[in-house]
Amino acid sequence: DTEVTQTPKHLVMGMTNKKSLKCEQHMGHRAMYWYKQKAKKPPELMFVYSYEKLSINESVPSRFSPECPNSSLLNLHLHALQPEDSALYLCASSQIYLANYGYTFGSGTRLTVV
Amino acid sequence: KNEVEQSPQNLTAQEGEFITINCSYSVGISALHWLQQHPGGGIVSLFMLSSGKKKHGRLIATINIQEKHSSLHITASHPRDSAVYICAVTLPPWGGGADGLTFGKGTHLIIQP
């Protein structure tokens, strides 16, 4: 299995809703990432988990809450989002501690906040 | 100043043309990545380079570490090559761990039949 699987592919939520995005990989990668991508812009790093521990939080608002329950699974819990949070949310994974490690990206969750 | 600069930002070419996309970076890196993203889609990793040249089908990627420059070439371009091509770098793991990618702004390529 050489894929990163993201669910759902599309999500529409109201500003008072609570929802979660899910990311799964079975490649044995020990680093997992959440990126946010607005239209016609490059992705922006949100969170990095290394060995299931949060290692980087790029000053993301608390309405986004990441969770890494095990080495294969990464969640992003969403609560009280704003319309400007509408974007493509990408998950990625990679090895750690190798001089040159490749990334595998998921196909993303297209989030619309109404 | 963006640490990763790509050119051109937009490129329209005819089917069959040889395509070159350039990427320059200003910091020390562990590796450089070329990524492809189709409209509305996820990102596919095309190449990861730390030196020299790599080839996969009609795609060729080169890197010059001394000049901090990389190029992505597409030979015999086809309309299905139309996508955004993104250059990204991984910075040296000073802390020994994973730090995410630093992205260029992307090159929007359109290949017309």
Side-chain angles (χ1 to χ4, degrees), chain A residues 1-88:
Chain A
D1 189 350
T2 58
E3 291 185 346
V4 172
T5 303
Q6 287 189 246
T7 54
K9 294 197 181 307
H10 300 274
L11 178 62
V12 179
M13 61 184 290
M15 289 189 284
T16 58
N17 291 159
K18 285 185 181 180
K19 296 286 185 183
S20 297
L21 310 184
K22 180 180 172 182
C23 173
E24 197 164 3
Q25 57 88 15
H26 298 285
M27 295 175 282
H29 289 173
R30 302 307 296 274
M32 296 186 77
Y33 312 80
W34 280 116
Y35 289 90
K36 173 183 177 181
Q37 186 179 27
K38 301 285 276 187
K40 299 189 185 301
K41 298 287 188 183
E44 301 171 14
L45 184 65
M46 300 175 72
F47 302 105
V48 181
Y49 273 84
S50 301
Y51 294 107
E52 298 87 67
K53 290 189 176 5
L54 183 65
S55 57
I56 294 178
N57 176 342
E58 291 286 352
S59 302
V60 179
S62 59
R63 57 186 184 269
F64 295 91
S65 175
E67 179 196 21
C68 190
N70 58 57
S71 60
S72 299
L73 189 57
L74 183 67
N75 298 319
L76 186 63
H77 302 298
L78 314 172
H79 173 55
L81 294 194
Q82 303 296 311
E84 60 264 29
D85 297 321
S86 299
L88 180 68

Side-chain angles (χ1 to χ4, degrees), chain B residues 73-105:
Chain B
H73 305 286
I74 305 174
T75 62
S77 58
H78 190 276
R80 64 176 175 266
D81 297 326
S82 299
V84 177
Y85 292 85
I86 305 171
C87 173
V89 299
T90 45
L91 303 180
W94 308 115
D99 295 318
L101 292 171
T102 301
F103 294 89
K105 292 185 178 180

